[in-house]
Amino acid sequence: MSLISPAARAALEAWLAGQKALRGAPENTVDAYARDVTGFLAFITEHKGEAQGIKPLMKLSVSDMRSWMAFTRGQGIGPRSMARKLSAVKSFLRWLSEREGAEISAVLAARAPRFQNKLPRPLAEDAARTMIDTIELQSLKAWVATRDMAVLTLLYGCGLRISEALGLDGRDAPLPDVLRIVGKGGKERVIPVIPAARDAVARYLDLCPWPKEPGAPLFRGVRGGRLAPRAVQKTMARARMQLGLPASATPHAMRHSFATHLLSAGGDLRAIQELLGHASLSTTQTYTSVDQARLMEVYDKAHPKAG
């Protein structure tokens, strides 16, 4: 941050602290905001020929914003990432303008390039079940094998994010019929825990060599610390290679599968939104597109008049 003026640096740090404390943004989100806005401020310094304080930042033009976007896209940044960076920068500048009492509506009107949202890529129902069975075969240590199976059962059976499953502590076990989860942005939701998930976790705990302590991680790594998402991802990668599944068969795909299979079985979209912890129904509605796409795929393959 050496190219950024002390005033701009202090403002950025204050904004990031607010994002974390007041809005409950996760650590990795705050880190991404810091990188995006720092890159923007460094570019503006080079673009203007000197470090920009608060007042110059309030006088940026649409042309300045377009120059930054063109420079960023020229570095090979795709439309989706560009939109994320612009969102972070506009959020920071909006906060700064409100604090300074400045009017920068023209700058805030800058638009990112359009991109098409990617549809979630769930596993088929039989593939999801087979994945859970196969991941148990990836370790010679029985407690590690049952641990990995328990994690995937929670992802698929309850729709948890990998961070939410691995964030559970000893105090959460034995798993109740209903579990309170604090997800993104500190949003709390209540989800039912299916018997298969409760049984899988209980089986893991019976074999786990580490004591179950209220404040200790529920899912432990081989050295006793909290199990890292990367370890689950690597184990699942080995399993999907054995099963011939695509690279999209990741831990997060188990959560996608949970939502898609519920919807296919007639689940209510609003209820699925609550179970997933989505802030917006539009996010959950992407699974409707997945279901329709799959229906059309079946139609094209099976209907005698298709094609």
Side-chain angles (χ1 to χ4, degrees):
M1 297 177 70
S2 59
L3 295 177
I4 301 174
S5 73
R9 183 185 304 118
L12 174 56
E13 290 173 353
W15 176 69
L16 291 172
Q19 293 297 307
K20 188 173 183 179
L22 301 179
R23 298 182 179 272
E27 192 70 38
N28 59 340
T29 300
V30 173
D31 289 344
Y33 286 163
R35 289 192 301 271
D36 292 340
V37 179
T38 297
F40 169 76
L41 294 174
F43 169 81
I44 291 298
T45 296
E46 295 288 338
H47 183 61
K48 295 292 189 179
E50 61 181 349
Q52 301 292 288
I54 302 302
K55 287 185 178 179
L57 286 175
M58 293 296 91
K59 295 179 180 178
L60 292 177
S61 66
V62 174
S63 177
D64 294 326
M65 297 295 288
R66 288 174 177 167
S67 296
W68 167 66
M69 286 191 285
F71 170 79
T72 305
R73 288 300 305 277
Q75 293 184 311
I77 300 298
R80 185 182 300 273
S81 295
M82 185 68 250
R84 187 204 71 215
K85 289 177 181 292
L86 179 60
S87 176
V89 168
K90 287 168 70 172
S91 180
F92 169 68
L93 291 177
R94 183 182 297 110
W95 171 85
L96 192 57
S97 68
E98 290 172 355
R99 194 177 75 162
E100 297 295 317
E103 173 57 48
I104 59 168
S105 57
V107 168
L108 296 179
R111 293 185 178 183
R114 292 185 178 182
F115 62 89
Q116 186 172 5
N117 285 320
K118 292 182 179 178
L119 292 179
R121 301 182 66 182
L123 280 68
E125 291 185 33
D126 57 345
R129 289 193 295 268
T130 304
M131 172 58 75
I132 292 174
D133 293 337
T134 303
I135 204 168
E136 192 179 15
L137 306 175
Q138 303 306 307
S139 177
L140 296 177
K141 295 181 179 179
W143 78 271
V144 173
T146 56
R147 177 201 69 191
D148 294 342
M149 182 181 183
V151 171
L152 256 64
T153 303
L154 276 173
L155 302 186
Y156 180 54
C158 303
L160 298 187
R161 299 178 178 91
I162 183 69
S163 60
E164 294 168 346
L166 301 189
L168 295 174
D169 291 327
R171 65 173 60 89
D172 297 309
L175 293 187
D177 293 341
V178 173
L179 192 61
R180 290 187 177 274
I181 294 292
V182 178
K184 287 185 176 180
K187 181 179 174 62
E188 185 178 280
R189 69 187 191 276
V190 177
I191 57 172
V193 182
I194 62 174
R198 292 199 300 271
D199 293 345
V201 171
R203 184 178 164 213
Y204 151 68
L205 289 173
D206 286 342
L207 297 176
C208 182
W210 306 96
K212 182 173 77 69
E213 301 170 344
L218 177 62
F219 293 111
R220 297 188 185 246
V222 292
R223 292 190 175 91
R226 191 175 297 277
L227 180 62
R230 183 59 184 154
V232 181
Q233 292 163 357
K234 289 174 67 175
T235 305
M236 194 167 173
R238 291 197 300 270
R240 74 169 176 250
M241 288 180 65
Q242 293 177 13
L243 295 172
L245 294 175
S248 58
T250 62
H252 201 62
M254 302 300 286
R255 174 173 153 90
H256 289 326
S257 303
F258 163 84
T260 306
H261 299 165
L262 276 183
L263 186 63
S264 298
D268 178 73
L269 200 60
R270 283 286 184 186
I272 295 174
Q273 177 191 2
E274 290 298 320
L275 290 173
L276 293 174
H278 286 161
S280 170
L281 184 63
S282 62
T283 305
T284 316
Q285 285 174 328
T286 57
Y287 293 104
T288 305
S289 301
V290 172
D291 200 42
Q292 291 173 344
R294 183 166 293 179
L295 179 63
M296 289 306 300
E297 184 180 345
V298 171
Y299 173 86
D300 288 339
K301 288 182 179 179
H303 198 284
K305 295 294 186 180

